[in-house]
Amino acid sequence: MIENMQCLKIKFFRELLENAEKSLNDMFVRTYGMLYMQNSEVFQDLFTELKRYYTGGNVNLEEMLNDFWARLLERMFQLINPQYHFSEDYLECVSKYTDQLKPFGDVPRKLKIQITRAFIAARTFVQGLTVGREVANRVSKVSPTPGCIRALMKMLYCAYCRGLPTVRPCNNYCLNVMKGCLANQADLDTEWNLFIDAMLLVAERLEGPFNIESVMDPIDVKISEAIMNMQENSMQVSAKVFQGCGQPKPAPALRSARSAPENFNTRFRPYNPEERPTTAAGTSLDRLVTDIKEKLKLSKKVWSTLPYTICKDESVTAGTSNEEECWNGHSKARYLPEIMNDGLTNQINNPEVDVDITRPDTFIRQQIMALRVMTNKLKNAYNGNDVNFQDTSDESSGSGSGSGCMDDVCPTEFEFVTTEAPAVDPDRREVDSSAAQRGPSLLSGSLVCVALALQRLCR
């Protein structure tokens, strides 16, 4: 279910682009007919590059959009001047006048700003969701230390040896055990919270000025408006180009006898905002982002509160209301030691778990770095600045994304580069006792639950 929802979120953006392309194609076929169909690859290439950018391709949006308008100018210049023959060199000269002459009015400039900001925000936001999910998945695979296993065994089973099989661990006793076991995971919290804050900021952009849906829905009308500007200023544009690039050679007699086709002057149809296409997600971007924002907010401080989440489970501890008749590690009595603060350095005096605070978990530190890198990308996206992604447009394997989708249904969108948790940590010895199974499984099970809960961000 989680994997399917991840695919659904990806499909929202994919189908948004596909619907915009279909809308443009339908409208231009009706408006310009054969003229458009003979030059449709210019527009197809535009959408191909937009899709490639969104899926992590190495595309410079500004250069790509500049190239689109230059190519469109070349094609239109030939259509409005059919009495001349233009060589490739001449057309290249024409394209250089795109910025100077502004043949399409102010549409290219405005559209460039809107598209670059919207696509940067959308792509970075989706990769942020992927990174968050992958960090949670990888952290859930980290095995407990020998000191943690011993503490868990003492907490869960030593009461049986004292003839107290029905007495459950004291809540505060459980907290110290879990804070020692999850000391490294708690150190994720600071960077995780900064990452969530950055995600929420980009989400606000997606709901406001960087809304990719509001940019792509009317793109057909905006491009058609630009074409009309070119038509209306065709004489002035041609005169300036001839002045700068030289007088072109006359076309062969058959071609020069023809004038610009009459249907080229057809005005485009009025845009109806109610004709917005329906995406696979069955909802607008605003509602989709709002839903994800609520889940993001719920995930804040998830790592530092994990011990409290585990220890409030009635199947694990006696609870906070039964502090006198609970297992304190030695007898049926109140647990007296103070509760440790969160994080590795605060476990130096943990009375329940032997924690070497001088040796931070390398793998957890790698995940902290992955979050830090992603947070910086999100901050750039919030400011409308592009960020560098590994080009995965040629990747066919979904092993890096963890989306659980078949390649032909939901291809890998981004490559998340980090290190998998080792099967056996060389610094940690295995415990060969069947009685030692439940302690690690309690901890691992709790971490898996966190991973699953965080994956719901993608739903």
Side-chain angles (χ1 to χ4, degrees):
M1 177 65 176
I2 293 170
E3 289 80 4
N4 289 339
M5 293 304 294
Q6 170 69 2
C7 288
L8 191 60
K9 173 174 56 59
I10 290 169
K11 284 184 179 179
F12 179 92
F13 292 104
R14 277 185 171 275
E15 291 202 6
L16 183 65
L17 293 177
E18 290 169 1
N19 285 329
E21 183 175 11
K22 183 179 183 299
S23 177
L24 183 144
N25 183 72
D26 292 345
M27 172 181 166
F28 278 36
V29 166
R30 289 195 303 269
T31 305
Y32 304 112
M34 188 58 67
L35 285 174
Y36 164 71
M37 289 184 279
Q38 291 172 344
N39 297 278
S40 60
E41 74 276 7
V42 175
F43 304 92
Q44 291 169 0
D45 290 347
L46 169 66
F47 284 96
T48 296
E49 289 299 287
L50 288 174
K51 291 174 187 175
R52 193 162 73 86
Y53 175 86
Y54 168 70
T55 55
N58 185 21
V59 177
N60 185 306
L61 279 178
E62 290 197 12
E63 290 182 3
M64 183 272 292
L65 291 169
N66 288 340
D67 183 62
F68 164 73
W69 292 111
R71 289 180 66 194
L72 185 59
L73 174 59
E74 290 179 14
R75 298 297 178 93
M76 287 196 63
F77 193 76
Q78 294 178 82
L79 291 174
I80 62 177
N81 293 287
Q83 68 274 30
Y84 296 108
H85 169 72
F86 301 102
S87 65
E88 290 296 324
D89 290 340
Y90 196 97
L91 291 176
E92 186 176 345
C93 178
V94 172
S95 65
K96 293 178 181 178
Y97 280 82
T98 307
D99 291 335
Q100 179 181 339
L101 298 178
K102 298 189 184 304
F104 301 110
D106 206 30
V107 174
R109 184 189 66 82
K110 291 181 179 178
L111 203 55
K112 182 194 297 185
I113 293 172
Q114 293 169 345
I115 287 178
T116 52
R117 288 179 174 178
F119 272 77
I120 289 167
R123 184 171 80 160
T124 310
F125 186 73
V126 171
Q127 199 206 23
L129 291 174
T130 303
V131 167
R133 185 193 64 217
E134 293 296 343
V135 166
N137 283 340
R138 287 173 166 83
V139 172
S140 71
K141 298 176 184 177
V142 175
S143 57
T145 64
C148 171
I149 293 174
R150 286 192 294 270
L152 286 169
M153 295 305 102
K154 180 182 177 182
M155 182 181 79
L156 296 172
Y157 292 109
C158 282
Y160 288 80
C161 304
R162 298 295 178 89
L164 303 170
T166 60
V167 180
R168 293 176 181 172
C170 299
N171 183 73
N172 290 352
Y173 174 31
C174 173
L175 284 174
N176 272 344
V177 171
M178 288 302 168
K179 288 200 174 195
C181 286
L182 297 170
N184 282 285
Q185 285 85 342
D187 283 346
L188 275 167
D189 220 46
T190 299
E191 203 62 50
W192 178 267
N193 292 337
L194 292 173
F195 162 71
I196 295 299
D197 288 338
M199 286 287 291
L200 291 171
L201 286 174
V202 175
E204 291 177 4
R205 292 294 207 199
L206 285 172
E207 290 177 313
F210 297 179
N211 190 312
I212 191 173
E213 193 173 23
S214 64
V215 171
M216 294 309 297
D217 275 359
I219 194 170
D220 50 359
V221 175
K222 293 177 180 179
I223 293 177
S224 193
E225 178 185 344
I227 292 174
M228 296 306 146
N229 286 333
M230 171 69 178
Q231 284 182 262
E232 292 170 359
N233 299 307
S234 59
M235 293 183 65
Q236 298 94 311
V237 170
S238 296
K240 291 182 180 178
V241 169
F242 293 161
Q243 183 179 0
C245 298
Q247 189 69 24
K249 296 179 180 180
L254 180 62
R255 184 177 176 186
S256 61
R258 299 181 311 195
S259 60
E262 291 182 1
N263 64 348
F264 187 71
N265 293 317
T266 306
R267 299 293 294 186
F268 58 90
R269 66 180 176 87
Y271 172 62
N272 185 354
E274 296 179 358
E275 295 178 3
R276 297 175 66 166
T278 302
T279 64
T283 181
S284 70
L285 178 64
D286 290 340
R287 280 184 287 172
L288 181 65
V289 172
T290 298
D291 181 57
I292 294 175
K293 279 173 61 179
E294 292 305 312
K295 292 180 172 65
L296 285 169
K297 291 174 183 177
L298 292 175
S299 76
K300 288 197 70 173
K301 298 184 178 181
V302 66
W303 302 106
S304 60
T305 58
L306 185 55
Y308 298 89
T309 303
I310 296 172
C311 294
K312 75 178 181 181
D313 189 334
E314 293 181 356
S315 66
V316 178
T317 69
T320 56
S321 61
N322 193 8
E323 296 181 357
E324 299 295 337
E325 299 186 351
C326 56
W327 172 248
N328 66 7
H330 303 282
S331 62
K332 181 181 177 181
R334 176 184 287 269
Y335 182 76
L336 297 177
E338 65 175 331
I339 301 174
M340 298 294 100
N341 290 324
D342 303 318
L344 184 64
T345 57
N346 291 315
Q347 306 311 308
I348 187 171
N349 295 317
N350 191 310
E352 311 304 335
V353 186
D354 293 329
V355 181
D356 186 353
I357 66 169
T358 65
R359 299 185 66 186
D361 188 287
T362 303
F363 179 72
I364 297 292
R365 266 46 194 183
Q366 289 172 346
Q367 307 314 305
I368 291 173
M369 183 56 65
L371 288 171
R372 189 170 298 159
V373 169
M374 191 65 238
T375 299
N376 287 333
K377 291 181 179 180
L378 288 163
K379 289 179 179 178
N380 281 328
Y382 175 79
N383 293 320
N385 300 323
D386 208 351
V387 289
N388 293 323
F389 290 85
Q390 180 176 344
D391 189 347
T392 61
S393 56
D394 297 328
E395 295 288 338
S396 58
S397 169
S399 60
S401 69
S403 66
C405 306
M406 296 300 290
D407 289 339
D408 58 342
V409 176
C410 184
T412 301
E413 296 296 322
F414 302 102
E415 187 74 13
F416 175 63
V417 182
T418 186
T419 308
E420 287 283 0
V424 178
D425 193 318
D427 295 329
R428 297 169 181 163
R429 58 182 177 82
E430 293 186 88
V431 178
D432 263 344
S433 169
S434 58
Q437 296 289 325
R438 190 177 170 225
S441 67
L442 170 67
L443 184 62
S444 299
S446 300
L447 286 170
V448 168
C449 288
V450 171
L452 293 174
L454 293 174
Q455 284 190 48
R456 293 191 181 99
L457 295 175
C458 301
R459 295 178 61 177

Short mmCIF file of all heavy atoms in Angstrom, two decimals, residues 52-84:
data_model
loop_
_atom_site.label_atom_id
_atom_site.label_comp_id
_atom_site.label_asym_id
_atom_site.label_seq_id
_atom_site.Cartn_x
_atom_site.Cartn_y
_atom_site.Cartn_z
N ARG A 52 12.33 14.99 -18.38
CA ARG A 52 13.66 14.49 -18.05
C ARG A 52 14.24 15.26 -16.87
O ARG A 52 14.91 14.69 -16.00
CB ARG A 52 14.59 14.60 -19.26
CG ARG A 52 15.89 13.82 -19.11
CD ARG A 52 16.56 13.59 -20.44
NE ARG A 52 17.16 14.78 -20.99
CZ ARG A 52 18.41 15.19 -20.69
NH1 ARG A 52 19.15 14.49 -19.84
NH2 ARG A 52 18.89 16.28 -21.24
N TYR A 53 13.98 16.56 -16.83
CA TYR A 53 14.44 17.35 -15.69
C TYR A 53 13.77 16.87 -14.41
O TYR A 53 14.43 16.63 -13.40
CB TYR A 53 14.13 18.83 -15.89
CG TYR A 53 14.47 19.68 -14.68
CD1 TYR A 53 15.75 20.17 -14.50
CD2 TYR A 53 13.51 19.93 -13.70
CE1 TYR A 53 16.08 20.91 -13.37
CE2 TYR A 53 13.83 20.67 -12.56
CZ TYR A 53 15.10 21.16 -12.41
OH TYR A 53 15.42 21.87 -11.29
N TYR A 54 12.46 16.70 -14.45
CA TYR A 54 11.72 16.31 -13.25
C TYR A 54 12.18 14.96 -12.72
O TYR A 54 12.27 14.74 -11.51
CB TYR A 54 10.22 16.27 -13.53
CG TYR A 54 9.46 15.59 -12.42
CD1 TYR A 54 9.33 16.21 -11.18
CD2 TYR A 54 8.92 14.32 -12.59
CE1 TYR A 54 8.69 15.58 -10.15
CE2 TYR A 54 8.28 13.69 -11.56
CZ TYR A 54 8.16 14.32 -10.34
OH TYR A 54 7.53 13.68 -9.30
N THR A 55 12.50 14.02 -13.63
CA THR A 55 12.91 12.68 -13.20
C THR A 55 14.39 12.60 -12.86
O THR A 55 14.95 11.51 -12.76
CB THR A 55 12.57 11.64 -14.28
OG1 THR A 55 13.16 12.02 -15.53
CG2 THR A 55 11.08 11.50 -14.45
N GLY A 56 15.05 13.73 -12.69
CA GLY A 56 16.43 13.73 -12.23
C GLY A 56 17.46 13.88 -13.31
O GLY A 56 18.65 13.71 -13.05
N GLY A 57 17.03 14.17 -14.54
CA GLY A 57 17.98 14.32 -15.63
C GLY A 57 18.84 15.56 -15.50
O GLY A 57 18.47 16.54 -14.85
N ASN A 58 19.98 15.52 -16.15
CA ASN A 58 20.92 16.65 -16.10
C ASN A 58 20.52 17.68 -17.16
O ASN A 58 21.09 17.75 -18.24
CB ASN A 58 22.35 16.15 -16.35
CG ASN A 58 23.38 17.25 -16.19
OD1 ASN A 58 23.11 18.26 -15.54
ND2 ASN A 58 24.54 17.05 -16.78
N VAL A 59 19.50 18.46 -16.82
CA VAL A 59 18.94 19.45 -17.74
C VAL A 59 19.05 20.83 -17.11
O VAL A 59 18.65 21.03 -15.96
CB VAL A 59 17.45 19.15 -18.05
CG1 VAL A 59 16.86 20.23 -18.95
CG2 VAL A 59 17.30 17.77 -18.67
N ASN A 60 19.62 21.78 -17.87
CA ASN A 60 19.64 23.17 -17.45
C ASN A 60 18.36 23.81 -17.96
O ASN A 60 18.19 24.02 -19.16
CB ASN A 60 20.87 23.88 -18.01
CG ASN A 60 21.00 25.31 -17.50
OD1 ASN A 60 20.08 26.11 -17.61
ND2 ASN A 60 22.16 25.63 -16.95
N LEU A 61 17.45 24.10 -17.05
CA LEU A 61 16.12 24.59 -17.45
C LEU A 61 16.19 25.88 -18.26
O LEU A 61 15.51 26.02 -19.28
CB LEU A 61 15.25 24.81 -16.21
CG LEU A 61 14.58 23.57 -15.61
CD1 LEU A 61 13.79 23.96 -14.37
CD2 LEU A 61 13.65 22.90 -16.62
N GLU A 62 16.99 26.82 -17.83
CA GLU A 62 17.06 28.11 -18.52
C GLU A 62 17.59 27.95 -19.95
O GLU A 62 17.04 28.51 -20.89
CB GLU A 62 17.92 29.10 -17.74
CG GLU A 62 17.29 29.56 -16.43
CD GLU A 62 17.95 30.81 -15.89
OE1 GLU A 62 18.73 31.43 -16.63
OE2 GLU A 62 17.68 31.16 -14.73
N GLU A 63 18.66 27.17 -20.08
CA GLU A 63 19.22 26.95 -21.42
C GLU A 63 18.23 26.20 -22.30
O GLU A 63 18.09 26.50 -23.49
CB GLU A 63 20.52 26.16 -21.31
CG GLU A 63 21.67 26.96 -20.71
CD GLU A 63 22.95 26.15 -20.66
OE1 GLU A 63 22.95 24.99 -21.14
OE2 GLU A 63 23.96 26.67 -20.13
N MET A 64 17.55 25.22 -21.72
CA MET A 64 16.58 24.44 -22.49
C MET A 64 15.43 25.32 -22.97
O MET A 64 15.00 25.23 -24.13
CB MET A 64 16.06 23.29 -21.63
CG MET A 64 15.09 22.36 -22.35
SD MET A 64 13.35 22.91 -22.22
CE MET A 64 13.06 22.67 -20.46
N LEU A 65 14.92 26.21 -22.12
CA LEU A 65 13.83 27.10 -22.51
C LEU A 65 14.30 28.13 -23.54
O LEU A 65 13.55 28.46 -24.48
CB LEU A 65 13.26 27.80 -21.28
CG LEU A 65 12.49 26.89 -20.31
CD1 LEU A 65 12.20 27.61 -19.00
CD2 LEU A 65 11.19 26.39 -20.95
N ASN A 66 15.51 28.62 -23.38
CA ASN A 66 16.06 29.56 -24.38
C ASN A 66 16.15 28.88 -25.74
O ASN A 66 15.85 29.48 -26.78
CB ASN A 66 17.44 30.04 -23.95
CG ASN A 66 17.38 31.00 -22.78
OD1 ASN A 66 16.34 31.60 -22.50
ND2 ASN A 66 18.49 31.14 -22.06
N ASP A 67 16.57 27.63 -25.74
CA ASP A 67 16.68 26.88 -26.98
C ASP A 67 15.32 26.66 -27.63
O ASP A 67 15.17 26.74 -28.86
CB ASP A 67 17.35 25.53 -26.71
CG ASP A 67 17.56 24.73 -27.98
OD1 ASP A 67 18.29 25.20 -28.87
OD2 ASP A 67 17.01 23.61 -28.09
N PHE A 68 14.29 26.41 -26.79
CA PHE A 68 12.94 26.22 -27.32
C PHE A 68 12.46 27.47 -28.06
O PHE A 68 11.96 27.39 -29.19
CB PHE A 68 11.97 25.90 -26.19
CG PHE A 68 10.51 26.05 -26.56
CD1 PHE A 68 9.90 25.13 -27.39
CD2 PHE A 68 9.78 27.15 -26.10
CE1 PHE A 68 8.56 25.28 -27.76
CE2 PHE A 68 8.44 27.31 -26.46
CZ PHE A 68 7.83 26.37 -27.29
N TRP A 69 12.62 28.64 -27.45
CA TRP A 69 12.14 29.87 -28.08
C TRP A 69 12.97 30.22 -29.32
O TRP A 69 12.42 30.74 -30.31
CB TRP A 69 12.17 31.03 -27.08
CG TRP A 69 11.18 30.89 -25.97
CD1 TRP A 69 11.44 30.65 -24.66
CD2 TRP A 69 9.75 30.96 -26.10
NE1 TRP A 69 10.27 30.56 -23.96
CE2 TRP A 69 9.22 30.75 -24.81
CE3 TRP A 69 8.87 31.18 -27.16
CZ2 TRP A 69 7.84 30.76 -24.56
CZ3 TRP A 69 7.51 31.18 -26.91
CH2 TRP A 69 7.01 30.97 -25.63
N ALA A 70 14.26 29.90 -29.29
CA ALA A 70 15.10 30.15 -30.46
C ALA A 70 14.66 29.27 -31.63
O ALA A 70 14.57 29.73 -32.78
CB ALA A 70 16.57 29.90 -30.12
N ARG A 71 14.38 28.00 -31.34
CA ARG A 71 13.92 27.08 -32.40
C ARG A 71 12.55 27.51 -32.92
O ARG A 71 12.29 27.45 -34.13
CB ARG A 71 13.83 25.66 -31.85
CG ARG A 71 15.18 25.00 -31.58
CD ARG A 71 14.98 23.60 -31.03
NE ARG A 71 14.37 22.71 -32.02
CZ ARG A 71 13.84 21.54 -31.73
NH1 ARG A 71 13.84 21.09 -30.48
NH2 ARG A 71 13.30 20.79 -32.68
N LEU A 72 11.68 27.94 -32.01
CA LEU A 72 10.34 28.38 -32.44
C LEU A 72 10.43 29.62 -33.31
O LEU A 72 9.71 29.75 -34.31
CB LEU A 72 9.47 28.66 -31.21
CG LEU A 72 8.00 29.00 -31.49
CD1 LEU A 72 7.30 27.88 -32.25
CD2 LEU A 72 7.26 29.30 -30.18
N LEU A 73 11.35 30.52 -32.98
CA LEU A 73 11.55 31.71 -33.80
C LEU A 73 12.03 31.33 -35.20
O LEU A 73 11.54 31.89 -36.20
CB LEU A 73 12.56 32.65 -33.13
CG LEU A 73 12.97 33.88 -33.94
CD1 LEU A 73 11.76 34.75 -34.27
CD2 LEU A 73 14.03 34.70 -33.19
N GLU A 74 12.95 30.40 -35.29
CA GLU A 74 13.44 29.96 -36.60
C GLU A 74 12.29 29.41 -37.45
O GLU A 74 12.18 29.75 -38.64
CB GLU A 74 14.51 28.87 -36.41
CG GLU A 74 15.82 29.37 -35.84
CD GLU A 74 16.81 28.24 -35.66
OE1 GLU A 74 16.58 27.15 -36.22
OE2 GLU A 74 17.82 28.43 -34.93
N ARG A 75 11.48 28.54 -36.86
CA ARG A 75 10.37 27.94 -37.62
C ARG A 75 9.36 29.00 -38.05
O ARG A 75 8.91 29.02 -39.19
CB ARG A 75 9.67 26.88 -36.76
CG ARG A 75 10.54 25.71 -36.36
CD ARG A 75 11.02 24.91 -37.57
NE ARG A 75 11.88 23.82 -37.19
CZ ARG A 75 11.48 22.58 -36.96
NH1 ARG A 75 10.20 22.27 -37.08
NH2 ARG A 75 12.34 21.65 -36.61
N MET A 76 8.99 29.89 -37.14
CA MET A 76 7.99 30.90 -37.46
C MET A 76 8.53 31.92 -38.47
O MET A 76 7.78 32.42 -39.32
CB MET A 76 7.53 31.60 -36.19
CG MET A 76 6.63 30.76 -35.31
SD MET A 76 5.77 31.77 -34.11
CE MET A 76 4.78 32.83 -35.18
N PHE A 77 9.82 32.23 -38.36
CA PHE A 77 10.40 33.19 -39.28
C PHE A 77 10.31 32.68 -40.72
O PHE A 77 10.06 33.46 -41.66
CB PHE A 77 11.86 33.46 -38.90
CG PHE A 77 12.44 34.65 -39.59
CD1 PHE A 77 12.12 35.93 -39.18
CD2 PHE A 77 13.32 34.50 -40.65
CE1 PHE A 77 12.65 37.04 -39.81
CE2 PHE A 77 13.85 35.60 -41.30
CZ PHE A 77 13.51 36.88 -40.86
N GLN A 78 10.47 31.39 -40.89
CA GLN A 78 10.33 30.81 -42.23
C GLN A 78 8.88 30.82 -42.70
O GLN A 78 8.60 31.05 -43.88
CB GLN A 78 10.84 29.36 -42.22
CG GLN A 78 12.34 29.25 -41.97
CD GLN A 78 12.81 27.81 -41.91
OE1 GLN A 78 13.04 27.19 -42.94
NE2 GLN A 78 12.93 27.28 -40.69
N LEU A 79 7.95 30.61 -41.76
CA LEU A 79 6.53 30.59 -42.13
C LEU A 79 6.02 31.96 -42.53
O LEU A 79 5.18 32.09 -43.43
CB LEU A 79 5.70 30.05 -40.96
CG LEU A 79 5.87 28.56 -40.63
CD1 LEU A 79 5.11 28.19 -39.37
CD2 LEU A 79 5.39 27.69 -41.81
N ILE A 80 6.51 33.01 -41.87
CA ILE A 80 6.01 34.36 -42.20
C ILE A 80 6.79 34.97 -43.38
O ILE A 80 6.42 36.03 -43.87
CB ILE A 80 6.09 35.30 -40.98
CG1 ILE A 80 7.53 35.48 -40.51
CG2 ILE A 80 5.21 34.78 -39.85
CD1 ILE A 80 7.68 36.46 -39.35
N ASN A 81 7.83 34.29 -43.81
CA ASN A 81 8.61 34.76 -44.95
C ASN A 81 8.81 33.63 -45.97
O ASN A 81 9.96 33.24 -46.28
CB ASN A 81 9.97 35.31 -44.50
CG ASN A 81 9.85 36.57 -43.67
OD1 ASN A 81 9.54 37.65 -44.18
ND2 ASN A 81 10.09 36.43 -42.38
N PRO A 82 7.72 33.07 -46.49
CA PRO A 82 7.85 31.92 -47.40
C PRO A 82 8.49 32.28 -48.74
O PRO A 82 8.87 31.38 -49.49
CB PRO A 82 6.40 31.46 -47.58
CG PRO A 82 5.59 32.69 -47.38
CD PRO A 82 6.31 33.48 -46.33
N GLN A 83 8.61 33.58 -49.05
CA GLN A 83 9.17 34.00 -50.34
C GLN A 83 10.69 33.95 -50.37
O GLN A 83 11.31 34.18 -51.39
CB GLN A 83 8.69 35.42 -50.70
CG GLN A 83 9.22 36.52 -49.80
CD GLN A 83 8.39 36.73 -48.54
OE1 GLN A 83 7.78 35.80 -48.03
NE2 GLN A 83 8.36 37.99 -48.08
N TYR A 84 11.28 33.58 -49.18
CA TYR A 84 12.74 33.53 -49.11
C TYR A 84 13.23 32.12 -48.77
O TYR A 84 12.52 31.33 -48.15
CB TYR A 84 13.26 34.52 -48.05
CG TYR A 84 12.98 35.97 -48.36
CD1 TYR A 84 12.02 36.69 -47.62
CD2 TYR A 84 13.68 36.63 -49.36
CE1 TYR A 84 11.76 38.02 -47.89
CE2 TYR A 84 13.42 37.97 -49.64
CZ TYR A 84 12.46 38.66 -48.91
OH TYR A 84 12.21 39.98 -49.18
#
